[in-house]
Amino acid sequence: RWVLLGDQYKEVDFLWRAEKVVIEVDSKRYHSTGWKQARDAERDALLSASGYLQDRVPEDLLKHQPLEAVRKARTLLERRTPSSRVE
């Protein structure tokens, strides 16, 4: 998904636009080099400045413990919608 952060569009892995929640999946392929990490840090700073809650999930966790990855997303969503249970 693409999200407008200030005057820039940035791509994110999982986006709950209404709740302003983002989950990024970190893989060795796309997040291992210095410039890729710098790019991620810049996007993370823009997300925070724009009021987004965010977390990162290692690709291995998503593959081998998907319920743990879902728990991370649910935790952020519940912080945005504390009066209702997220299903």
Side-chain angles (χ1 to χ4, degrees):
R1 298 283 184 243
W2 291 90
V3 61
L4 181 61
L5 303 171
D7 61 352
Q8 301 176 47
Y9 280 96
K10 298 290 183 177
E11 188 174 16
V12 298
D13 294 325
F14 295 94
L15 170 66
W16 290 265
R17 197 175 304 276
E19 294 82 1
K20 294 187 94 171
V21 168
V22 169
I23 298 288
E24 285 293 312
V25 178
D26 286 342
S27 67
K28 292 176 185 163
R29 180 177 181 190
Y30 293 108
H31 301 273
S32 60
T33 64
W35 73 268
K36 291 177 181 178
Q37 292 169 354
R39 176 200 60 198
D40 288 349
E42 175 192 0
R43 185 186 52 229
D44 290 351
L46 288 170
L47 285 164
S48 292
S50 298
Y52 282 83
L53 292 177
Q54 60 191 328
D55 202 351
R56 295 188 162 277
V57 175
E59 182 180 40
D60 286 344
L61 182 73
L62 191 59
K63 285 182 179 178
H64 302 292
Q65 296 178 306
L67 292 179
E68 181 62 21
V70 169
R71 186 196 62 75
K72 285 182 166 228
R74 179 175 286 188
T75 297
L76 290 182
L77 288 165
E78 286 175 347
R79 286 176 56 192
R80 289 294 189 187
T81 56
S83 61
S84 63
R85 184 167 178 211
V86 177
E87 295 295 328

